[in-house]
């Protein structure tokens, strides 16, 4: 997928993403954690977390709802941006600041992040694709 196609896809979904984030936040995580995305070509049981980060240029705080998985006791998110030619902004912001803040359901967490490499990277990618 090209960046233009990705931008078009995310522009159409912008309202959905804003509503999803608002519902997750205003409910304290009791809504928005698990979504049925079959109407959008997704899965019936799609778990989402909220990722909080600080803009590397703006210094502003952002919160994004992201699909996640759990592999080997670790929370996994994929910075594929729907197959775009470049990484999403949240990924670039995490690279500049290794601390991560996220919410899964009603539970908030602080942690650090890392990128898997080699065989582990392939395993995680395959798991998330499935």
């Amino acid at each position: 997928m090209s960046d233009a196609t990705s931008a078009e896809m995310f522009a159409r979904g912008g309202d959905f993403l804003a509503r999803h984030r608002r519902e997750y936040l205003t409910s304290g995580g009791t809504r928005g954690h698990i979504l049925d995305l079959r109407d959008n070509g997704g899965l019936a049981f799609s778990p989402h977390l909220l990722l909080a980060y600080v803009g590397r240029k703006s210094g502003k705080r952002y919160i994004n709802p992201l699909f996640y998985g759990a592999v080997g006791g670790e929370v996994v998110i994929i910075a594929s941006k729907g197959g775009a030619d470049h990484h999403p902004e949240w990924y670039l912001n995490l690279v500049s600041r290794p601390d991560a803040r996220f919410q899964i359901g009603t539970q908030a967490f602080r942690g650090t992040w890392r990128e898997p490499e080699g065989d582990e990277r392939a395993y995680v990618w395959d798991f998330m694709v499935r």
Side-chain angles (χ1 to χ4, degrees):
M1 174 185 304
S2 71
D3 285 340
T5 306
S6 176
E8 190 177 302
M9 180 181 78
F10 283 97
R12 283 194 313 263
D15 289 342
F16 168 78
L17 294 174
R19 285 191 316 270
H20 183 193
R21 178 179 43 247
R22 188 171 44 254
E23 180 175 26
Y24 210 130
L25 287 169
T26 59
S27 72
T30 61
R31 292 187 316 274
H33 175 223
I34 306 297
L35 296 181
D36 181 348
L37 297 178
R38 288 178 291 186
D39 290 342
N40 298 325
L43 303 172
F45 183 79
S46 297
H48 291 79
L49 58 72
L50 291 178
L51 175 69
Y53 58 92
V54 176
R56 66 194 182 287
K57 296 175 188 173
S58 68
K60 289 173 52 178
R61 185 172 180 258
Y62 297 94
I63 300 173
N64 283 20
L66 299 170
F67 178 76
Y68 79 94
V71 178
E74 294 182 292
V75 174
V76 176
I77 53 177
I78 302 290
S80 68
K81 196 176 181 183
D85 298 334
H86 65 278
H87 291 299
E89 291 296 318
W90 63 260
Y91 169 82
L92 300 173
N93 289 309
L94 280 182
V95 168
S96 72
R97 296 175 188 234
D99 62 314
R101 295 173 187 241
F102 59 100
Q103 180 176 332
I104 297 176
T106 60
Q107 301 294 306
F109 302 91
R110 284 180 152 179
T112 56
W113 74 276
R114 66 184 182 85
E115 282 190 59
E117 297 178 355
D119 290 344
E120 181 190 25
R121 184 182 183 102
Y123 176 81
V124 167
W125 178 259
D126 289 344
F127 175 86
M128 292 298 287
V129 167
R130 281 191 311 277

